[in-house]
Amino acid sequence: MNILDENIIASQRQRLRSWRIPVRQIGVDIARKGLQDEEILPFLHHLNRPTFFTRDRGFYRREVCHQEYSLVCLEVAPEEVAIFVRRVLRHPRLNTQAKRLGTVVRASHRGLGVWRLHAQEEEVMLWGAPGG
């Protein structure tokens, strides 16, 4: 299940759906509007292995890795969100739910930063690089 934070603009949610990427957005399709950051992680625990996409950089922390969900922090402009959600979902190292679970990902124009559950170091992958 792909969950969009409330901070993702409607045009990006609509674009993802037009590409047949299933998404649900907080405050629109799921949960209540105004859900606070500290309520997000407990909320994710009640869902079936979600991938949560946000533009809130505060979520990119190693300590929020959990085996039952993944978090993706998008460090891109509001109107670029859909493109980067699709890029993350198609990335060879993250293209299945099983590959994403237990990760916290930072996606930007440069590439990806990935914290994995129990990892001691951040993985860095450049777009288009072998294995990345």
Side-chain angles (χ1 to χ4, degrees), residues 17-110:
R17 288 179 176 164
S18 76
W19 292 336
R20 301 192 193 297
I21 296 173
V23 294
R24 296 174 80 187
Q25 187 167 23
I26 291 178
V28 176
D29 309 298
I30 193 168
R32 65 175 166 71
K33 191 170 177 67
L35 201 65
Q36 298 299 304
D37 286 355
E38 60 273 6
E39 297 173 294
I40 298 285
L41 299 179
F43 170 70
L44 294 177
H45 287 282
H46 295 287
L47 301 176
N48 185 23
R49 301 179 307 189
T51 299
F52 177 67
F53 293 91
T54 183
R55 292 188 62 244
D56 185 339
R57 294 177 186 192
F59 282 103
Y60 189 66
R61 303 187 325 263
R62 175 180 158 194
E63 61 270 14
V64 298
C65 286
H66 192 278
Q67 65 189 4
E68 293 298 320
Y69 60 73
S70 59
L71 298 171
V72 180
C73 301
L74 302 160
E75 293 185 356
V76 299
E79 57 279 350
E80 296 177 305
V81 164
I83 292 166
F84 279 84
V85 166
R86 184 168 65 175
R87 285 180 87 178
V88 168
L89 292 174
R90 289 181 172 180
H91 192 281
R93 302 277 306 274
L94 300 167
N95 62 0
T96 67
Q97 190 178 51
K99 290 177 184 178
R100 288 190 304 272
L101 286 176
T103 64
V104 177
V105 178
R106 182 191 67 241
S108 67
H109 285 274
R110 181 163 168 77

